[in-house]
PDB file of all heavy atoms in Angstrom:
ATOM      1  N   TYR A 171      -0.247  14.841  -7.710  1.00  0.00           N
ATOM      2  CA  TYR A 171       0.528  14.767  -9.000  1.00  0.00           C
ATOM      3  C   TYR A 171      -0.017  13.669  -9.884  1.00  0.00           C
ATOM      4  O   TYR A 171       0.518  13.490 -10.998  1.00  0.00           O
ATOM      5  CB  TYR A 171       2.015  14.655  -8.710  1.00  0.00           C
ATOM      6  CG  TYR A 171       2.310  13.332  -7.957  1.00  0.00           C
ATOM      7  CD1 TYR A 171       2.474  12.062  -8.641  1.00  0.00           C
ATOM      8  CD2 TYR A 171       2.495  13.397  -6.554  1.00  0.00           C
ATOM      9  CE1 TYR A 171       2.789  11.004  -7.919  1.00  0.00           C
ATOM     10  CE2 TYR A 171       2.822  12.252  -5.881  1.00  0.00           C
ATOM     11  CZ  TYR A 171       2.955  11.009  -6.469  1.00  0.00           C
ATOM     12  OH  TYR A 171       3.245   9.895  -5.836  1.00  0.00           O
ATOM     13  N   ALA A 172      -0.967  12.914  -9.403  1.00  0.00           N
ATOM     14  CA  ALA A 172      -1.484  11.767 -10.209  1.00  0.00           C
ATOM     15  C   ALA A 172      -2.929  11.962 -10.509  1.00  0.00           C
ATOM     16  O   ALA A 172      -3.530  12.924 -10.015  1.00  0.00           O
ATOM     17  CB  ALA A 172      -1.309  10.439  -9.376  1.00  0.00           C
ATOM     18  N   ASP A 173      -3.475  11.092 -11.391  1.00  0.00           N
ATOM     19  CA  ASP A 173      -4.919  11.210 -11.777  1.00  0.00           C
ATOM     20  C   ASP A 173      -5.780  11.075 -10.509  1.00  0.00           C
ATOM     21  O   ASP A 173      -6.860  11.655 -10.425  1.00  0.00           O
ATOM     22  CB  ASP A 173      -5.224  10.190 -12.804  1.00  0.00           C
ATOM     23  CG  ASP A 173      -4.419  10.354 -14.112  1.00  0.00           C
ATOM     24  OD1 ASP A 173      -4.489  11.406 -14.707  1.00  0.00           O
ATOM     25  OD2 ASP A 173      -3.723   9.367 -14.432  1.00  0.00           O
ATOM     26  N   ARG A 174      -5.407  10.180  -9.609  1.00  0.00           N
ATOM     27  CA  ARG A 174      -6.071  10.027  -8.332  1.00  0.00           C
ATOM     28  C   ARG A 174      -5.038  10.133  -7.209  1.00  0.00           C
ATOM     29  O   ARG A 174      -4.015   9.493  -7.307  1.00  0.00           O
ATOM     30  CB  ARG A 174      -6.818   8.645  -8.271  1.00  0.00           C
ATOM     31  CG  ARG A 174      -8.088   8.613  -9.089  1.00  0.00           C
ATOM     32  CD  ARG A 174      -9.169   9.475  -8.489  1.00  0.00           C
ATOM     33  NE  ARG A 174     -10.395   9.414  -9.186  1.00  0.00           N
ATOM     34  CZ  ARG A 174     -10.701  10.196 -10.212  1.00  0.00           C
ATOM     35  NH1 ARG A 174      -9.835  11.131 -10.544  1.00  0.00           N
ATOM     36  NH2 ARG A 174     -11.919  10.103 -10.813  1.00  0.00           N
ATOM     37  N   TYR A 175      -5.330  10.933  -6.223  1.00  0.00           N
ATOM     38  CA  TYR A 175      -4.428  11.192  -5.116  1.00  0.00           C
ATOM     39  C   TYR A 175      -5.272  11.058  -3.849  1.00  0.00           C
ATOM     40  O   TYR A 175      -6.155  11.921  -3.606  1.00  0.00           O
ATOM     41  CB  TYR A 175      -3.866  12.572  -5.249  1.00  0.00           C
ATOM     42  CG  TYR A 175      -2.816  13.038  -4.264  1.00  0.00           C
ATOM     43  CD1 TYR A 175      -1.441  12.796  -4.547  1.00  0.00           C
ATOM     44  CD2 TYR A 175      -3.108  13.616  -3.049  1.00  0.00           C
ATOM     45  CE1 TYR A 175      -0.429  13.230  -3.702  1.00  0.00           C
ATOM     46  CE2 TYR A 175      -2.078  14.078  -2.232  1.00  0.00           C
ATOM     47  CZ  TYR A 175      -0.755  13.815  -2.508  1.00  0.00           C
ATOM     48  OH  TYR A 175       0.250  14.276  -1.643  1.00  0.00           O
ATOM     49  N   ALA A 176      -5.053  10.006  -3.101  1.00  0.00           N
ATOM     50  CA  ALA A 176      -5.923   9.692  -1.919  1.00  0.00           C
ATOM     51  C   ALA A 176      -5.043   9.409  -0.741  1.00  0.00           C
ATOM     52  O   ALA A 176      -3.964   8.726  -0.924  1.00  0.00           O
ATOM     53  CB  ALA A 176      -6.863   8.541  -2.230  1.00  0.00           C
ATOM     54  N   TYR A 177      -5.508   9.712   0.472  1.00  0.00           N
ATOM     55  CA  TYR A 177      -4.823   9.380   1.682  1.00  0.00           C
ATOM     56  C   TYR A 177      -5.234   8.030   2.212  1.00  0.00           C
ATOM     57  O   TYR A 177      -6.178   7.447   1.745  1.00  0.00           O
ATOM     58  CB  TYR A 177      -5.118  10.458   2.689  1.00  0.00           C
ATOM     59  CG  TYR A 177      -4.536  11.823   2.350  1.00  0.00           C
ATOM     60  CD1 TYR A 177      -5.333  12.856   1.765  1.00  0.00           C
ATOM     61  CD2 TYR A 177      -3.182  12.140   2.545  1.00  0.00           C
ATOM     62  CE1 TYR A 177      -4.767  14.053   1.410  1.00  0.00           C
ATOM     63  CE2 TYR A 177      -2.665  13.392   2.172  1.00  0.00           C
ATOM     64  CZ  TYR A 177      -3.486  14.293   1.638  1.00  0.00           C
ATOM     65  OH  TYR A 177      -2.917  15.536   1.300  1.00  0.00           O
ATOM     66  N   ILE A 178      -4.513   7.596   3.254  1.00  0.00           N
ATOM     67  CA  ILE A 178      -4.778   6.263   3.792  1.00  0.00           C
ATOM     68  C   ILE A 178      -5.802   6.351   4.971  1.00  0.00           C
ATOM     69  O   ILE A 178      -6.202   5.326   5.524  1.00  0.00           O
ATOM     70  CB  ILE A 178      -3.487   5.515   4.322  1.00  0.00           C
ATOM     71  CG1 ILE A 178      -2.805   6.315   5.379  1.00  0.00           C
ATOM     72  CG2 ILE A 178      -2.579   5.266   3.116  1.00  0.00           C
ATOM     73  CD1 ILE A 178      -1.648   5.586   6.114  1.00  0.00           C
ATOM     74  N   SER A 179      -6.192   7.490   5.367  1.00  0.00           N
ATOM     75  CA  SER A 179      -7.153   7.660   6.483  1.00  0.00           C
ATOM     76  C   SER A 179      -7.908   8.975   6.400  1.00  0.00           C
ATOM     77  O   SER A 179      -7.448   9.923   5.797  1.00  0.00           O
ATOM     78  CB  SER A 179      -6.414   7.623   7.893  1.00  0.00           C
ATOM     79  OG  SER A 179      -5.602   8.730   8.102  1.00  0.00           O
ATOM     80  N   ASP A 180      -9.092   9.007   7.046  1.00  0.00           N
ATOM     81  CA  ASP A 180      -9.834  10.245   7.125  1.00  0.00           C
ATOM     82  C   ASP A 180      -9.071  11.300   7.913  1.00  0.00           C
ATOM     83  O   ASP A 180      -9.111  12.440   7.604  1.00  0.00           O
ATOM     84  CB  ASP A 180     -11.202   9.957   7.692  1.00  0.00           C
ATOM     85  CG  ASP A 180     -11.218   9.378   9.094  1.00  0.00           C
ATOM     86  OD1 ASP A 180     -10.141   8.771   9.455  1.00  0.00           O
ATOM     87  OD2 ASP A 180     -12.281   9.432   9.758  1.00  0.00           O
ATOM     88  N   TRP A 181      -8.321  10.861   8.952  1.00  0.00           N
ATOM     89  CA  TRP A 181      -7.553  11.803   9.756  1.00  0.00           C
ATOM     90  C   TRP A 181      -6.566  12.555   8.868  1.00  0.00           C
ATOM     91  O   TRP A 181      -6.403  13.750   8.948  1.00  0.00           O
ATOM     92  CB  TRP A 181      -6.858  11.127  10.920  1.00  0.00           C
ATOM     93  CG  TRP A 181      -6.019  12.029  11.732  1.00  0.00           C
ATOM     94  CD1 TRP A 181      -6.422  12.789  12.851  1.00  0.00           C
ATOM     95  CD2 TRP A 181      -4.601  12.376  11.520  1.00  0.00           C
ATOM     96  NE1 TRP A 181      -5.382  13.513  13.286  1.00  0.00           N
ATOM     97  CE2 TRP A 181      -4.258  13.329  12.504  1.00  0.00           C
ATOM     98  CE3 TRP A 181      -3.676  11.990  10.583  1.00  0.00           C
ATOM     99  CZ2 TRP A 181      -2.942  13.838  12.581  1.00  0.00           C
ATOM    100  CZ3 TRP A 181      -2.405  12.540  10.672  1.00  0.00           C
ATOM    101  CH2 TRP A 181      -2.063  13.448  11.636  1.00  0.00           C
ATOM    102  N   LEU A 182      -5.838  11.729   8.106  1.00  0.00           N
ATOM    103  CA  LEU A 182      -4.784  12.322   7.226  1.00  0.00           C
ATOM    104  C   LEU A 182      -5.389  13.285   6.129  1.00  0.00           C
ATOM    105  O   LEU A 182      -4.863  14.328   5.846  1.00  0.00           O
ATOM    106  CB  LEU A 182      -3.966  11.271   6.542  1.00  0.00           C
ATOM    107  CG  LEU A 182      -2.607  11.628   5.988  1.00  0.00           C
ATOM    108  CD1 LEU A 182      -1.740  12.289   7.011  1.00  0.00           C
ATOM    109  CD2 LEU A 182      -1.913  10.396   5.419  1.00  0.00           C
ATOM    110  N   SER A 183      -6.501  12.887   5.606  1.00  0.00           N
ATOM    111  CA  SER A 183      -7.189  13.718   4.631  1.00  0.00           C
ATOM    112  C   SER A 183      -7.629  15.051   5.246  1.00  0.00           C
ATOM    113  O   SER A 183      -7.410  16.167   4.672  1.00  0.00           O
ATOM    114  CB  SER A 183      -8.437  12.978   4.080  1.00  0.00           C
ATOM    115  OG  SER A 183      -9.184  13.816   3.260  1.00  0.00           O
ATOM    116  N   ASN A 184      -8.259  14.980   6.467  1.00  0.00           N
ATOM    117  CA  ASN A 184      -8.653  16.196   7.207  1.00  0.00           C
ATOM    118  C   ASN A 184      -7.425  17.051   7.529  1.00  0.00           C
ATOM    119  O   ASN A 184      -7.514  18.222   7.405  1.00  0.00           O
ATOM    120  CB  ASN A 184      -9.464  15.778   8.442  1.00  0.00           C
ATOM    121  CG  ASN A 184     -10.838  15.172   8.116  1.00  0.00           C
ATOM    122  OD1 ASN A 184     -11.384  15.552   7.120  1.00  0.00           O
ATOM    123  ND2 ASN A 184     -11.301  14.303   8.960  1.00  0.00           N
ATOM    124  N   LYS A 185      -6.335  16.387   8.077  1.00  0.00           N
ATOM    125  CA  LYS A 185      -5.184  17.141   8.480  1.00  0.00           C
ATOM    126  C   LYS A 185      -4.519  17.879   7.267  1.00  0.00           C
ATOM    127  O   LYS A 185      -4.112  19.056   7.483  1.00  0.00           O
ATOM    128  CB  LYS A 185      -4.187  16.111   9.105  1.00  0.00           C
ATOM    129  CG  LYS A 185      -2.759  16.697   9.390  1.00  0.00           C
ATOM    130  CD  LYS A 185      -2.766  17.583  10.588  1.00  0.00           C
ATOM    131  CE  LYS A 185      -1.335  17.947  10.972  1.00  0.00           C
ATOM    132  NZ  LYS A 185      -1.295  18.782  12.182  1.00  0.00           N
ATOM    133  N   MET A 186      -4.401  17.203   6.168  1.00  0.00           N
ATOM    134  CA  MET A 186      -3.598  17.798   5.100  1.00  0.00           C
ATOM    135  C   MET A 186      -4.433  18.477   3.959  1.00  0.00           C
ATOM    136  O   MET A 186      -3.900  19.324   3.244  1.00  0.00           O
ATOM    137  CB  MET A 186      -2.765  16.653   4.408  1.00  0.00           C
ATOM    138  CG  MET A 186      -1.749  16.028   5.327  1.00  0.00           C
ATOM    139  SD  MET A 186      -0.798  17.192   6.255  1.00  0.00           S
ATOM    140  CE  MET A 186       0.039  18.049   4.936  1.00  0.00           C
ATOM    141  N   SER A 187      -5.726  18.196   3.926  1.00  0.00           N
ATOM    142  CA  SER A 187      -6.506  18.806   2.816  1.00  0.00           C
ATOM    143  C   SER A 187      -7.813  19.432   3.341  1.00  0.00           C
ATOM    144  O   SER A 187      -8.639  19.855   2.553  1.00  0.00           O
ATOM    145  CB  SER A 187      -6.782  17.834   1.726  1.00  0.00           C
ATOM    146  OG  SER A 187      -7.752  16.824   2.182  1.00  0.00           O
ATOM    147  N   GLY A 188      -8.011  19.433   4.662  1.00  0.00           N
ATOM    148  CA  GLY A 188      -9.262  19.918   5.124  1.00  0.00           C
ATOM    149  C   GLY A 188     -10.463  18.928   4.782  1.00  0.00           C
ATOM    150  O   GLY A 188     -11.595  19.414   4.745  1.00  0.00           O
TER     151      GLY A 188
END
Side-chain angles (χ1 to χ4, degrees):
Y171 60 84
D173 299 301
R174 285 289 183 269
Y175 187 91
Y177 293 99
I178 61 169
S179 70
D180 57 343
W181 178 89
L182 196 55
S183 173
N184 290 329
K185 170 77 173 178
M186 299 310 302
S187 73

